Amino acid sequence: MTPFPFAAIVGQDEMKTAMILTAVDPSIGGVLVFGDRGTGKSTAVRALSGLLPPLKMVAGCPVNSADPADVPDWARGAGTAVEARPTPVIDLPLGATEDRVTGALDIEAALARGETAFEPGLLARANRGYLYIDEINLLEDHIVDLLLDVAQSGENVVEREGLSIRHPARFVLVGSGNPEEGELRPQLLDRFGLSVEVASPSDIEERIEVVKRRDAFDRDPDGFVGDWGDAQADLRDRIVAARGRLAGTGAGDDVLRDCAALCIALGADGLRGELTLLRAARALAAFDGARAPGRDQLRRVAAMALRHRLRRDPLDEAGTTARVARAVEEVLA
C-alpha cells in the first residue's frame, strides 16, 4: 500500500516535528500522539516509511542486522550480502498475541521436520526501526508490561517450549490514541520521550487543503506521490544531514541550566525530562543547521518533551500544555 507523502501533510506541525526529531536522534525515545479521531495521526506515522532514509541490512536477516557477524545463530535463510532496505515501520495491532509480538516456536518446522526452530515476531521486525501502536491506550496490560521490559533493555528474551532466544529489539515506539477512550498507564507514558496533542483544524482554508490533498491522493496515489517527490527528497536530505551534524552539535552549560530551571519550575520528577529536553533541542538544532541548541530550540520542544511528565495540580485548572508554556515564558524570558 502506497503511504501518503509525509511532506504533503497539512498543519499538525508539532506532530511532524516530533517525528522528524526521532528520525534525527532515535535516542530521544518514542512519540505519543493523542488527539481527536481523523486528525492524521496514523497517516503521519505510516508516512514515515516513505520518508526515512534506507538502512544497510544483511539480506534475509530477521532482526535487520547491519553486519553479517551480528546475525543471530538461530536465523534461517540469512545470507552475507548487505543491501539497502527501507527503515522498518511495523504495526502492532490491538489483540496481537504475546507469541506474535515476541516470536515463538515455529510449529510448521516442528511438525514437518521435527526441528525446534524460532519464528521471530514483531519485535524482531521492528529492530532498528519504528514500532507503531494505534489506540495504544487500549492495549492489554500483559503486552504493555512486555513492551516496558523490552524498551528498557533493548533486548527481546523468549524462554519457553524448549526455546531460549535473545535478540536485539531497539526501536522507536510510536503510539497514538484518543484520550476520551481511556488513559495510558503512567509506566508506559513515562517511556515516551515526546508527547504531542493534535486537534481538528479550525481554519477553513486549512481544512479545505487537507481534504483537497487527501482526495487527490485517493484518486491517484502514484501520481500524487510523484508530485511530492522533490519535497520528500528535500526533507529526507535534511534529516540525513542533521544526523551527520548531530555528533558535533554541543550544548553549553547555559542550555543545561535552562533545562534544569524549566524542569524545577514545572516540578518534573527525576531527570528524564531534562535529558529528553536536551536531546530534542540538540536534534532540532542539528536539523536547523545550528552549531548548538539555544533558547529558540528549547522553546520549540519544551511542550512535547515535558507536558506528559507533570503531576496533576488540583489547584491549577490549566492544561499541561498551558503550564509548560507559562513556565517557558517565565524561565526563558
Side-chain angles (χ1 to χ4, degrees), residues 144-329:
V144 171
D145 292 337
L146 187 158
L147 288 175
L148 287 172
D149 290 342
V150 174
Q152 184 171 17
S153 65
E155 186 177 55
N156 180 36
V157 180
V158 181
E159 291 185 344
R160 59 177 177 273
E161 299 167 333
L163 287 172
S164 180
I165 297 290
R166 292 173 180 266
H167 67 74
R170 299 187 183 279
F171 48 81
V172 176
L173 181 63
V174 180
S176 65
N178 184 340
E180 294 178 355
E181 297 172 345
E183 295 186 350
L184 199 61
R185 282 173 53 183
Q187 298 94 328
L188 186 56
L189 183 63
D190 193 49
R191 289 293 164 188
F192 285 95
L194 306 176
S195 171
V196 177
E197 296 173 354
V198 294
S200 303
S202 55
D203 180 77
I204 289 179
E205 296 305 318
E206 186 175 333
R207 294 178 77 102
I208 290 173
E209 191 62 27
V210 171
V211 172
K212 188 184 294 182
R213 291 187 190 180
R214 185 70 218 191
D215 183 57
F217 174 76
D218 289 343
R219 285 188 291 117
D220 181 11
D222 293 337
F224 188 82
V225 169
D227 291 342
W228 283 89
D230 289 345
Q232 286 275 97
D234 289 345
L235 189 50
R236 188 181 301 115
D237 290 346
R238 286 189 67 188
I239 291 172
V240 172
R243 286 179 175 179
R245 282 193 292 266
L246 187 64
T249 305
D253 286 351
D254 54 339
V255 172
L256 298 177
R257 192 174 300 280
D258 283 342
C259 291
L262 266 178
C263 290
I264 290 173
L266 289 165
D269 292 329
L271 297 176
R272 193 169 287 158
E274 284 162 71
L275 282 170
T276 303
L277 184 58
L278 173 65
R279 288 170 179 165
R282 190 162 50 203
L284 184 57
F287 188 69
D288 288 344
R291 289 187 173 183
R295 287 191 165 183
D296 175 50
Q297 282 81 21
L298 287 178
R299 288 190 183 93
R300 289 156 63 193
V301 302
M304 67 175 78
L306 298 176
R307 63 160 61 93
H308 57 304
R309 306 179 193 280
L310 306 190
R311 296 177 185 171
R312 289 183 178 174
D313 184 351
L315 301 179
D316 192 340
E317 295 182 354
T320 55
T321 301
R323 288 168 60 192
V324 174
R326 194 167 59 206
V328 166
E329 289 304 313

Side-chain angles (χ1 to χ4, degrees), residues 84-170:
R85 286 162 50 190
T87 299
V89 179
I90 305 299
D91 274 20
L92 193 160
L94 291 180
T97 64
E98 183 173 336
D99 283 355
R100 187 178 177 196
V101 175
T102 63
L105 177 70
D106 186 337
I107 300 297
E108 183 178 343
L111 293 176
R113 301 184 294 276
E115 297 176 356
T116 302
F118 179 61
E119 180 67 31
L122 298 176
L123 296 178
R125 293 173 54 199
N127 188 42
R128 301 180 66 207
Y130 285 73
L131 184 68
Y132 174 52
I133 309 171
D134 192 15
E135 299 182 320
I136 190 171
N137 46 333
L138 305 182
L139 198 63
E140 294 182 25
D141 284 351
H142 72 283
I143 299 294
V144 171
D145 292 337
L146 187 158
L147 288 175
L148 287 172
D149 290 342
V150 174
Q152 184 171 17
S153 65
E155 186 177 55
N156 180 36
V157 180
V158 181
E159 291 185 344
R160 59 177 177 273
E161 299 167 333
L163 287 172
S164 180
I165 297 290
R166 292 173 180 266
H167 67 74
R170 299 187 183 279

